Amino acid sequence: MRASYLVGLAVLLSFASAGAERRMTFMEYNVFQCWGWATPTNHGELAPGDLGALPRIAEVIRGQRPDWVVLCEVARNYRHAGFIDQPAEFAKRCGLKATYFSGGGLTNRWGNAILSKEAPLSARVVKHYDGKNPCSVIVAEFSDCYVLATHFPLKEPDQMKSAEVVLAEARKLNIPVVAI
């Protein structure tokens, strides 16, 4: 909770100091590899080619018409997610561009993605450990802001470590920053 507050405060300060006049819409969606509420087949896996909840989630995203969407726990060609390139499929269905980085775990096939109306000018990932698990922050530069995307851990001490990394990256940037 504290980590979200600190990052949210950084976002507000960044936009207030930049005097942003354009309305921007941001979303975050933890897609949990698109398993949805249905029980996945094969003991925790989607069948090859099975999109799972992806079409329903894409419909929700399209309905909001966001400028940027951060997808957490999205998979790319991973057996548990039906060997689908989920970021690419979301981009196609939502009419957006996808920027994906793995979370850095054992498989490197799931992580976070940013969907956006325009392709980023640049993007990089900052990998760190929350004390127990590998984590990452996507730092994507767009024409009018940076978007920093991460998936915060469950426990507050680990959240604080991740928030420190996000805030340290935000301080390095010279245009408005949105941390999701």
Side-chain angles (χ1 to χ4, degrees):
M1 184 70 93
R2 243 174 103 191
S4 298
Y5 172 76
L6 289 174
V7 172
L9 181 60
V11 170
L12 291 174
L13 292 175
S14 295
F15 274 102
S17 65
E21 294 178 17
R22 179 171 88 85
R23 181 181 174 165
M24 296 185 219
T25 305
F26 298 87
M27 287 180 76
E28 183 207 17
Y29 209 121
N30 184 335
V31 301
F32 192 57
Q33 299 180 36
C34 297
W35 287 355
W37 295 106
T39 304
T41 59
N42 302 325
H43 308 288
E45 297 180 7
L46 293 174
D50 186 351
L51 296 175
L54 192 149
R56 292 190 313 268
I57 296 168
E59 187 177 324
V60 169
I61 292 169
R62 260 193 335 270
Q64 297 301 310
R65 298 187 351 228
D67 295 292
W68 293 275
V69 181
V70 172
L71 300 175
C72 297
E73 296 189 38
V74 67
R76 189 174 188 188
N77 304 319
Y78 186 44
R79 67 183 171 92
H80 289 292
F83 294 102
I84 301 292
D85 183 343
Q86 291 176 341
E89 188 66 26
F90 273 112
K92 181 175 86 176
R93 288 173 179 262
C94 296
L96 300 168
K97 313 277 189 254
T99 304
Y100 169 83
F101 284 100
S102 78
L106 297 175
T107 65
N108 286 322
R109 293 192 179 142
W110 61 271
N112 298 323
I114 297 173
L115 301 179
S116 53
K117 290 183 177 178
E118 63 181 82
L121 302 172
S122 67
R124 62 186 171 85
V125 68
V126 177
K127 296 196 182 229
H128 67 285
Y129 288 87
D130 68 8
K132 186 169 118 179
N133 300 304
C135 295
S136 64
V137 178
I138 300 173
V139 180
E141 177 185 9
F142 294 92
S143 58
D144 47 6
C145 71
Y146 279 87
V147 175
L148 278 62
T150 193
H151 179 36
F152 283 101
L154 293 175
K155 297 183 180 175
E156 187 173 333
D158 300 333
Q159 291 172 356
M160 294 308 294
K161 289 177 185 175
S162 290
E164 289 168 10
V165 172
V166 171
L167 290 172
E169 289 301 314
R171 287 185 190 107
K172 297 176 187 176
L173 306 173
N174 59 359
I175 61 175
V177 174
V178 177
I180 302 173

